[in-house]
Amino acid sequence: MKIRARMSISADGYVTTPTGWPAHTADPAYATGGSHGIREFLQDCEQALMGRTTFEPALDNDRWPWPALRVFVLGSHRPAGTPDHVVLDGDPKRLLDKLRAANRGGDVHLVGGPRTIQTFHALGALDTLELVVVPLLFGDGMRLTPALSPTIGLAFERQRALPGGAVEIVYSCEGTRSALPDAPASRR
């Protein structure tokens, strides 16, 4: 099992638009049906781990965004409308322990902003940081850093061009491992 963060970022380093939307939502290639590789990414994931700020807007969606994943949320209270199967905990270490206990060998999609990613990196639970750089300049919005520490220790793994000019870049996080038992060979 690997804990994998995946997020979009503008060419000038913003993970959100100036109005607060995730960077990929501004990319015309995404808006016209391009997935930016998320479908392939989710094939190996069995769980989603996220912060409350990312989770709460999903409660108003017409459809549940994670139908095939078990969902774990870092939050101190259970928002109205939260499905019963969603696990919430305000303590990141305790939430990580619950996630580990429930895992059956598949990967975990760490969904959220830089603070959430940094929180789980600080616990040694971030295996990869996967960035989709969209071919746009925002000039403002939320930056990937400083919330995500420059000392994260990234090691380049691979990149690939995506339709519409976006580029996927995958880094392993050196010096941190999720310290989970190896997944069965069939799930890797």
Side-chain angles (χ1 to χ4, degrees):
M1 172 181 118
K2 289 184 176 182
I3 297 179
R4 302 164 57 199
R6 182 178 178 89
M7 63 189 334
S8 296
I9 185 169
S10 66
D12 56 348
Y14 294 97
V15 296
T16 67
T17 65
T19 57
W21 287 93
H24 69 273
T25 62
D27 186 356
Y30 185 82
T32 58
S35 72
H36 284 154
I38 191 66
R39 290 181 192 106
E40 298 87 352
F41 172 85
L42 289 174
Q43 286 178 348
D44 293 330
C45 294
E46 72 174 54
Q47 297 169 312
L49 172 63
M50 67 194 74
R52 180 192 50 77
T53 304
T54 299
F55 173 70
E56 283 188 356
L59 295 174
D60 295 330
N61 279 355
D62 292 337
R63 64 176 184 80
W64 184 243
W66 307 282
L69 304 179
R70 286 175 292 178
V71 176
F72 294 78
V73 178
L74 180 60
S76 57
H77 72 280
R78 188 172 201 86
T82 300
D84 291 339
H85 68 276
V86 173
V87 177
L88 273 97
D89 201 307
D91 179 271
K93 171 123 178 45
R94 207 170 39 228
L95 183 63
L96 191 57
D97 290 342
K98 290 175 183 179
L99 177 137
R100 288 174 172 161
N103 189 273
R104 292 176 279 196
D107 289 345
V108 177
H109 181 193
L110 177 54
V111 187
R115 283 191 326 237
T116 299
I117 293 169
Q118 179 63 28
T119 296
F120 289 101
H121 173 262
L123 292 173
L126 179 61
D127 293 295
T128 64
L129 176 62
E130 304 184 20
L131 300 175
V132 175
V133 182
V134 296
L136 301 169
L137 301 172
F138 294 159
D140 197 10
M142 180 188 298
R143 287 205 170 273
L144 182 60
T145 60
L148 192 60
S149 171
T151 63
I152 196 169
L154 301 177
F156 174 79
E157 283 192 10
R158 65 186 182 279
Q159 91 284 327
R160 71 176 169 142
L162 298 170
V167 177
E168 174 188 78
I169 307 170
V170 178
Y171 300 96
S172 62
C173 299
E174 294 182 331
T176 63
R177 298 297 303 164
S178 58
L180 296 167
D182 286 336
S186 63
R187 291 298 306 248
R188 286 192 175 177

